[in-house]
């Protein structure tokens, strides 16, 4: 049975999807772009600030599900420019501790609303 996870501490869905869905002992988040839920605008700055906001949004969704970033088993990072990888990775490292989740990082042509980064996770309950 699917359980919807929703919080006002992360941006509302901008389409026909949920912030996250729990199925059994796994929580799947939708990709989080760097929208500040308080303002509805992108975090000011570049890839570092956008990565921090995207991960803060993920964290808020996980907290709504009673989880922490330590519960994450897999992440997928979508970037508009793979040249931003090192800066994204530096901020990413602030949010995770060993044992680190598995991760995929890919460059894509464009992201929603012109974001520089979008991050989704799978976490274990």
């Amino acid at each position: 049975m699917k359980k919807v996870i929703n919080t006002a501490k992360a941006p509302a869905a901008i389409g026909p999807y949920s912030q996250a869905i729990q199925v059994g002992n796994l929580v799947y988040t939708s990709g989080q772009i760097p929208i500040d839920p308080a303002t509805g605008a992108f975090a000011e700055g570049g890839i570092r600030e956008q990565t921090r906001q995207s991960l803060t949004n993920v964290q808020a969704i996980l907290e709504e599900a009673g989880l922490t970033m330590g519960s994450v088993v897999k992440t997928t990072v979508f970037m508009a420019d793979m040249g931003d990888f090192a800066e994204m990775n530096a901020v990413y490292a602030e949010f995770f501790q060993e044992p680190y989740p598995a991760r995929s990082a890919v460059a894509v042509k464009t992201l929603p609303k012109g974001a520089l980064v979008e991050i989704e996770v799978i976490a274990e309950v």
Side-chain angles (χ1 to χ4, degrees), residues 9-12 14 17 32-43 49-50 53-54 56-57 112-113 115 117:
K9 294 180 182 177
I14 55 175
Y17 62 89
Q32 294 300 303
I33 58 175
I35 294 174
D36 180 336
T39 65
F42 276 176
E49 293 79 11
Q50 288 199 14
Q53 185 64 57
S54 293
T56 298
N57 294 342
K113 297 187 174 270
V117 64

Side-chain angles (χ1 to χ4, degrees), residues 1-6 18-30 61-67 121-125:
M1 186 158 110
K2 293 191 285 188
K3 175 183 175 187
V4 175
I5 309 295
N6 189 50
S18 300
Q19 287 177 331
I21 294 288
Q22 180 178 343
V23 178
N25 68 335
L26 295 176
V27 171
Y28 300 85
T29 71
S30 291
I61 294 167
L62 293 176
E63 287 174 357
E64 183 67 23
L67 303 174
V121 308
I122 301 170
E124 183 179 31
V125 176

Side-chain angles (χ1 to χ4, degrees), residues 82-96:
M82 195 55 81
D84 288 336
F85 182 85
E87 288 186 86
M88 175 283 298
N89 200 49
V91 175
Y92 180 98
E94 297 172 13
F95 284 80
F96 296 101

